[in-house]
Amino acid sequence: MSRSQALLAALALVAAAFFANLLVSVVGGRVDLTEDRTFTLSPASRRLVGKLDEPVKLELFVSRADVKLGAYRESYARRVETLLRQYVAASGGKLRLIVTDPKPDTKDEQRAQRHGLNGIRTAQGTGYLGLTAQQADTVKGIGYLDPTREKFLEYDLSKLVASVTRLERPKLALINTLNISNEVPPGQDQQAGPADVLLAELGQSFQVVTLSNQATELPAGVAVVVLLHPHHLADKLAYAVDQFLLGGGQVFAAVDPLSRFQKFQQGGMPFMMAPMALGASSDAALLRGWGVNVELDAVTGDLNRNLPIRGARGEPVQYPPAIAVGRESLNLNSPLTSELHELQLMEAGAVSLISGAAKGVRFEPLIALQGAAVGAIATTAANAGPFEKVSLAFRADGKPRVVAALASGSFTSAFPKGAPAEETKPADGKPATPAAPKAPATPHLAVSAKPGRLLVVADADFLLDPFSVRQRQAGGQTVAEPANDNLAFVLNSVEALVGNDDLGSLRTKGTALRPFKVVEDLNRKAQVDYQAKLDEIEKQLEAANARIAELGRSQGDLSKGLIVTPEIQRELEKAQKQAEKFMDDRREIRRQATEEVTSLGRRLQLLNLLAGPLLAALVGLAYFLLRRRSSN
């Protein structure tokens, strides 16, 4: 092939690609090759819009003519519009989409402002990128379609459509002892809290009412109760939760054998474990009264799924009780976990059904660890630390452990004697005495009047912001991004408990979480292989440094008339050489521990650089061979 023929072949290849792209854009065909079908409307959304009883009008406000949003926002606006048209096509005529350009000083802009859409400052003026949904006289909207929430786009759109069809949000009661609240004290500024993101996300779908463990009753009309590591519930509150479940209510309970966040709140002091986090009067624990047990004497670990934790020396330690739970440990048949990819748990317990205590209860594991690397270590040992010591002391026993489960059906009351007795106020230093029981406003339920659902997770830290999201700066604002699927699991579960199974399953669609398992496994193996060696070197180095310090003090005693003999000087030099050798050994161990990962990174970089040219060369070669065959 001559030079001119090669040039013509290259130009023909570029032209073919251009016209193929043009043809696809005109015809409208798309191929979604993403693993999660990110750009394709999910079956859950199709079911949701297919069940609409009354028509809903969607109006997408996007500035385009007089005000320019910029290439980034404009590209995202077209992504939103494309997805909305899929909603319309799947609705059977119940959804109608209108795209409006709210030009400055027009009635369209006034309508956008009236619906609460957020203006975007641009060089040409105020622009808009928002969406409203209207059914009859009810109008709700998304003030700003934030591109940073692209992973939640389908969830946000489906939630908007679902919200406009109901008059009010369900009420959620959050009972906790971790000082988590969505209420700001009068005259005080809002301080960053440990669950701000969790509360904000819950607040989009629920009316969230936060209660302390000493509250006396549940809010009227509550749809779901969330128990977040609550210690020693007041008797009346525990009884109210008990009767709520037995009346067909929905309860989400996160019970932790060792809450790291509670330790932090207590100033990092060792945490004296209560016999059980959920106390029902002075009898057995509330969950045990319902037939469900959470093991609090030991924390679960896994040598193959452990995560690195910063140790006492400031270096990462592969800590078995810190677990990265992948799809192999999730119940893929449950809508609560089928779409999740990875959860991260910190010193979780284990959940089980008490044999014979819950005959009418169905127990469905959601997160279960199994394999030869699974084990547990005593809570007291994990609490004492440090992480290095706990890691070395951990032993796998291969016993499967359920970390989260859904119990449903007919429960037995944790208060077999009925409502707890009222207590009279103490007088003159005398102890309080039980008052005569009052007739209850509603009859006591000894067993479930209606089937209830209880979702139990043997960890509480995992749903707090420090364990579930990471903060980053974008456009001068702090943006919270999911660090894993922890938050999605909690929100999916709570929404499913109140009946929004379809909506809950959408939250994790399009996740960008793609852990590089090869690198993770290499790091984990290196830590396991070299941790014991490193600990031994550290002990020897500490001993050498202690000897150097002791001999140094001898030299410093010259002013007291003591003489440093040549033998002491030689011993000091020997100890210093030993310390230098130990430091060299430690450096070499660390280098070996990361060498495989570094080597893999170099190979991937080289492959990434060569992939484009190699692909182009292969296409050119194929074209040349085809032309040569046709000319013969």
Side-chain angles (χ1 to χ4, degrees):
M1 181 185 287
S2 65
R3 210 173 194 184
S4 59
Q5 288 177 320
L7 181 60
L8 287 173
L11 290 174
L13 184 63
V14 173
F18 172 78
F19 284 112
N21 185 59
L22 181 63
L23 179 63
V24 168
S25 64
V26 172
V27 174
R30 302 183 314 120
V31 178
D32 189 351
L33 299 179
T34 58
E35 180 181 346
D36 294 315
R37 309 288 291 171
T38 303
F39 301 98
T40 302
L41 196 65
S42 67
S45 290
R46 293 179 182 276
R47 287 193 299 269
L48 190 148
V49 298
K51 293 185 291 187
L52 292 174
D53 296 326
E54 300 293 333
V56 174
K57 182 181 77 173
L58 300 173
E59 187 167 10
L60 176 63
F61 291 85
V62 51
S63 298
R64 281 175 172 156
D66 295 352
V67 178
K68 306 296 183 184
L69 297 179
Y72 179 55
R73 288 193 179 102
E74 172 59 28
S75 175
Y76 187 62
R78 297 196 181 280
R79 157 100 163 91
V80 173
E81 183 178 346
T82 300
L83 191 57
L84 287 173
R85 296 197 184 281
Q86 293 187 53
Y87 275 86
V88 173
S91 69
K94 291 296 178 65
L95 280 178
R96 182 165 62 96
L97 175 64
I98 299 174
V99 180
T100 301
D101 182 354
K103 298 178 182 178
D105 304 319
T106 63
K107 291 183 178 180
D108 289 336
E109 184 183 39
Q110 292 176 3
R111 194 167 72 260
Q113 294 171 346
R114 189 168 63 249
H115 292 326
L117 268 61
N118 303 332
I120 305 169
R121 289 185 179 181
T122 71
Q124 299 85 20
T126 302
Y128 297 88
L129 179 55
L131 178 68
T132 63
Q134 179 176 358
Q135 186 181 73
D137 295 331
T138 303
V139 181
K140 296 187 178 181
I142 300 175
Y144 173 54
L145 291 161
D146 190 347
T148 62
R149 283 186 63 86
E150 183 175 9
K151 291 189 288 289
F152 301 120
L153 176 59
E154 187 175 347
Y155 169 78
D156 289 340
L157 298 181
S158 294
K159 182 178 65 178
L160 177 64
V161 173
S163 68
V164 80
T165 62
R166 62 177 183 238
L167 298 178
E168 60 182 20
R169 292 171 296 167
K171 190 174 292 185
L172 179 150
L174 174 62
I175 303 172
N176 74 97
T177 53
L178 298 179
N179 297 328
I180 294 173
S181 175
N182 56 351
E183 298 178 1
V184 182
Q188 297 187 21
D189 295 331
Q190 176 71 56
Q191 300 293 322
D196 286 350
V197 177
L198 172 67
L199 291 174
E201 291 291 336
L202 285 173
Q204 293 187 36
S205 302
F206 299 92
Q207 298 178 52
V208 180
V209 180
T210 54
L211 303 173
S212 77
N213 63 335
Q214 295 305 303
T216 57
E217 60 183 3
L218 294 175
V222 66
V224 60
V225 172
V226 175
L227 299 173
L228 175 53
H229 199 52
H231 281 270
H232 305 300
L233 295 183
D235 289 347
K236 293 181 69 175
L237 181 60
Y239 180 72
V241 175
D242 175 81
Q243 295 296 286
F244 172 76
L245 177 67
L246 269 61
Q250 321 293 318
V251 177
F252 180 102
V255 185
D256 202 324
L258 177 58
S259 170
R260 285 288 160 180
F261 185 77
Q262 189 166 59
K263 285 193 67 172
F264 171 77
Q265 285 190 325
Q266 296 175 348
M269 298 300 291
F271 174 51
M272 299 302 293
M273 298 301 299
M276 180 65 187
L278 303 173
S281 187
S282 58
D283 299 325
L286 190 56
L287 266 68
R288 289 205 298 268
W290 295 332
V292 177
N293 181 59
V294 178
E295 183 180 6
L296 297 180
D297 295 333
V299 296
T300 300
D302 192 316
L303 292 172
N304 290 340
R305 302 177 179 92
N306 51 4
L307 293 167
I309 299 293
R310 187 172 297 278
R313 295 189 293 266
E315 297 175 353
V317 177
Q318 291 298 141
Y319 186 59
I323 310 168
V325 178
R327 290 181 63 80
E328 71 283 350
S329 301
L330 301 175
N331 184 347
L332 302 183
N333 295 320
S334 169
L336 304 181
T337 48
S338 62
E339 299 297 326
L340 302 179
H341 295 274
E342 180 179 280
L343 290 92
Q344 295 182 0
L345 305 173
M346 183 66 179
E347 296 165 327
V351 185
S352 60
L353 198 64
I354 299 175
S355 178
K359 297 179 180 178
V361 177
R362 177 175 178 266
F363 187 79
E364 180 185 7
L366 299 175
I367 305 174
L369 300 175
Q370 52 188 349
V374 176
I377 189 169
T379 302
T380 52
N383 185 46
F387 291 133
E388 291 90 343
K389 182 178 180 180
V390 177
S391 178
L392 290 174
F394 178 84
R395 294 292 181 269
D397 56 20
K399 177 183 176 182
R401 287 171 173 84
V402 175
V403 180
L406 177 64
S408 57
S410 180
F411 295 90
T412 301
S413 175
F415 291 80
K417 298 180 180 180
E422 298 280 350
E423 287 190 352
T424 59
K425 294 183 179 180
D428 300 328
K430 295 180 180 180
T433 57
K438 297 180 180 179
T442 57
H444 169 71
L445 297 176
V447 294
S448 291
K450 298 178 182 178
R453 287 191 291 179
L454 169 67
L455 198 157
V456 183
V457 185
D459 187 20
D461 289 329
F462 86 105
L463 52 70
L464 301 179
D465 295 353
F467 298 87
S468 61
V469 299
R470 51 175 170 263
Q471 310 281 346
R472 69 175 180 87
Q473 295 296 318
Q477 295 182 338
T478 302
V479 178
E481 292 183 334
N484 44 54
D485 283 334
N486 291 9
L487 191 60
F489 171 62
V490 176
L491 300 171
N492 289 359
S493 300
V494 175
E495 285 169 347
L497 285 175
V498 296
N500 292 335
D501 297 64
D502 288 340
L503 190 59
S505 67
L506 296 174
R507 189 178 294 273
T508 55
K509 188 181 179 190
T511 179
L513 296 172
R514 289 294 181 270
F516 198 168
K517 291 298 183 184
V518 176
V519 172
E520 286 185 356
D521 291 343
L522 286 176
N523 275 323
R524 186 175 291 114
K525 181 178 181 299
Q527 286 286 343
V528 171
D529 290 345
Y530 297 113
Q531 188 65 53
K533 298 178 184 177
L534 195 59
D535 286 342
E536 183 62 31
I537 291 292
E538 290 288 350
K539 291 178 183 177
Q540 293 174 341
L541 181 58
E542 288 175 6
N545 286 332
R547 182 59 178 159
I548 290 172
E550 179 184 347
L551 294 172
R553 286 193 295 271
S554 298
Q555 284 188 326
D557 286 340
L558 287 173
S559 59
K560 300 179 182 179
L562 297 178
I563 299 176
V564 179
T565 64
E567 288 78 8
I568 294 178
Q569 185 63 36
R570 284 195 295 270
E571 190 172 352
L572 175 61
E573 292 174 356
K574 179 181 177 182
Q576 289 173 336
K577 288 181 179 179
Q578 285 181 333
E580 291 174 1
K581 179 182 181 302
F582 292 146
M583 285 188 289
D584 288 341
D585 291 344
R586 182 175 63 181
R587 196 159 39 246
E588 177 63 19
I589 288 174
R590 290 172 179 166
R591 186 195 65 77
Q592 291 176 2
T594 58
E595 179 58 32
E596 280 191 85
V597 174
T598 304
S599 176
L600 177 61
R602 286 195 295 263
R603 293 197 299 271
L604 289 175
Q605 277 187 326
L606 181 62
L607 180 61
N608 190 45
L609 287 172
L610 296 178
L614 285 173
L615 183 60
L618 288 173
V619 172
L621 179 61
Y623 181 80
F624 168 73
L625 293 175
L626 287 173
R627 285 291 303 268
R628 186 174 182 180
R629 179 178 295 179
S630 62
S631 63
N632 290 339

